[in-house]
Amino acid sequence: MKLEPLYSIKVQCIHCEHEFETSRVRPSFKKAYRTDTDFCAYYKSENPDYYVVRICPSCGFASTENSLIKMNDKQRSAFQTQIACRWESRDFGGRRSLEEALETYKLGLLCAQIIGERERIIASLLHHIAWLYRYQENQEQERRFLRYSLESYIRVFELEGVGANDAKLLYLIGEIHRRLGQYQEAVQWFARVVQDQKIVDAAMIRASREQWRVASEQLREEKGHALGAE
């Protein structure tokens, strides 16, 4: 019997306590055939990223498995007045198209902003939305959401500082700067990963060294073009 890529799990909504089903991709189907330098992955069958956001069909509350596990009264009231009271029941529990996945992420982002979710969650949602636009080859919207995610990742860095486990955060800030053509800033952030003695993540140090080289070359080319134009 052939195994289907998707399976269902039950989730209880933290806003209205309604129990609903949402789909996940089986681990055996999560092998990407290529991955971009900012971790955007490409899959032959179902894309696991399409199913990250779980949406309650009853009230519309959207969350991820890393979101808050309970709401306080202020958060509950904010969500109720801004989304739940206008929500028309919809079920995102089955297979999702790219467009539906984009819809779930945007609702997830809105919910996270309304209830004051942790900045790391917001940064990740913004970055995933940029990836979805990349799949669509919509460069304008991809760059727009890369800029938003960059601002959010920098806020995470400013709020939390950086520990031994945050090499990936510094690397991502550098890589998104590079993708937005901000090569000088990219070089500076990659250098932090390579030079910080507290960072021991060998894979991120290696990746940062490689992208530092790429960004430095792009910066030299940019300066060369600028001199040539004078």
Side-chain angles (χ1 to χ4, degrees), residues 175-189:
E175 180 55 19
I176 296 172
H177 269 303
R178 190 191 69 79
R179 285 177 170 268
L180 292 171
Q182 298 159 1
Y183 306 124
Q184 184 74 56
E185 293 88 343
V187 165
Q188 290 166 354
W189 284 93

Side-chain angles (χ1 to χ4, degrees), residues 186-196 208 212:
V187 165
Q188 290 166 354
W189 284 93
F190 290 135
R192 286 186 184 211
V193 182
V194 175
Q195 293 164 4
D196 191 331
S208 295
W212 177 85

Side-chain angles (χ1 to χ4, degrees), residues 47-102:
N47 186 330
D49 285 336
Y50 286 13
Y51 301 93
V52 167
V53 181
R54 303 99 61 99
I55 296 183
C56 173
S58 180
C59 71
F61 185 71
S63 63
T64 73
E65 61 184 23
N66 297 316
S67 299
L68 292 173
I69 54 171
K70 61 180 180 183
M71 281 186 188
N72 60 35
D73 291 343
K74 186 181 174 187
Q75 290 166 323
R76 201 178 293 281
S77 172
F79 174 74
Q80 179 63 38
T81 55
Q82 292 184 60
I83 293 183
C85 68
R86 286 178 283 190
W87 177 253
E88 291 179 12
S89 185
R90 286 190 66 190
D91 190 354
F92 286 92
R95 188 174 182 276
R96 293 176 185 172
S97 64
L98 172 52
E99 289 70 25
E100 285 168 336
L102 195 49

Side-chain angles (χ1 to χ4, degrees), residues 212-226:
W212 177 85
R213 188 187 60 74
V214 172
S216 297
E217 185 60 39
Q218 289 172 312
L219 183 60
R220 274 195 297 276
E221 282 179 19
E222 187 179 63
K223 285 180 177 173
H225 289 318

Side-chain angles (χ1 to χ4, degrees), residues 16-201:
C16 70
E17 298 183 353
H18 174 72
E19 191 176 74
F20 62 96
E21 289 194 353
T22 191
S23 294
R24 301 287 296 274
V25 174
R26 293 184 195 280
S28 57
F29 286 87
K30 287 185 178 180
K31 293 183 181 70
Y33 65 85
R34 82 177 166 92
T35 306
D36 290 340
T37 46
D38 65 342
F39 309 118
C40 175
Y42 299 79
Y43 300 86
K44 282 195 167 71
S45 59
E46 288 290 349
N47 186 330
D49 285 336
Y50 286 13
Y51 301 93
V52 167
V53 181
R54 303 99 61 99
I55 296 183
C56 173
S58 180
C59 71
F61 185 71
S63 63
T64 73
E65 61 184 23
N66 297 316
S67 299
L68 292 173
I69 54 171
K70 61 180 180 183
M71 281 186 188
N72 60 35
D73 291 343
K74 186 181 174 187
Q75 290 166 323
R76 201 178 293 281
S77 172
F79 174 74
Q80 179 63 38
T81 55
Q82 292 184 60
I83 293 183
C85 68
R86 286 178 283 190
W87 177 253
E88 291 179 12
S89 185
R90 286 190 66 190
D91 190 354
F92 286 92
R95 188 174 182 276
R96 293 176 185 172
S97 64
L98 172 52
E99 289 70 25
E100 285 168 336
L102 195 49
E103 205 177 333
T104 66
Y105 272 102
K106 287 188 173 179
L107 184 56
L109 176 64
L110 188 59
C111 290
Q113 290 169 331
I114 285 169
I115 67 169
E117 186 56 92
R118 284 177 300 133
E119 195 65 44
R120 271 182 190 265
I121 301 283
I122 291 172
S124 178
L125 290 168
L126 288 164
H127 197 182
H128 276 77
I129 292 171
W131 291 348
L132 294 174
Y133 279 122
R134 188 177 305 169
Y135 297 142
Q136 286 185 339
E137 299 181 352
N138 185 335
Q139 291 181 356
E140 185 185 344
Q141 290 295 343
E142 180 198 340
R143 288 176 68 83
R144 179 179 163 224
F145 278 92
L146 279 177
R147 280 195 296 273
Y148 292 152
S149 70
L150 176 60
E151 290 165 7
S152 194
Y153 281 130
I154 290 172
R155 275 197 295 276
V156 173
F157 173 73
E158 289 169 347
L159 288 166
E160 300 179 14
V162 63
N165 299 322
D166 273 326
K168 187 175 179 180
L169 173 65
L170 296 181
Y171 168 84
L172 271 176
I173 292 172
E175 180 55 19
I176 296 172
H177 269 303
R178 190 191 69 79
R179 285 177 170 268
L180 292 171
Q182 298 159 1
Y183 306 124
Q184 184 74 56
E185 293 88 343
V187 165
Q188 290 166 354
W189 284 93
F190 290 135
R192 286 186 184 211
V193 182
V194 175
Q195 293 164 4
D196 191 331
Q197 298 299 311
K198 294 195 299 293
I199 291 173
V200 292
D201 186 331

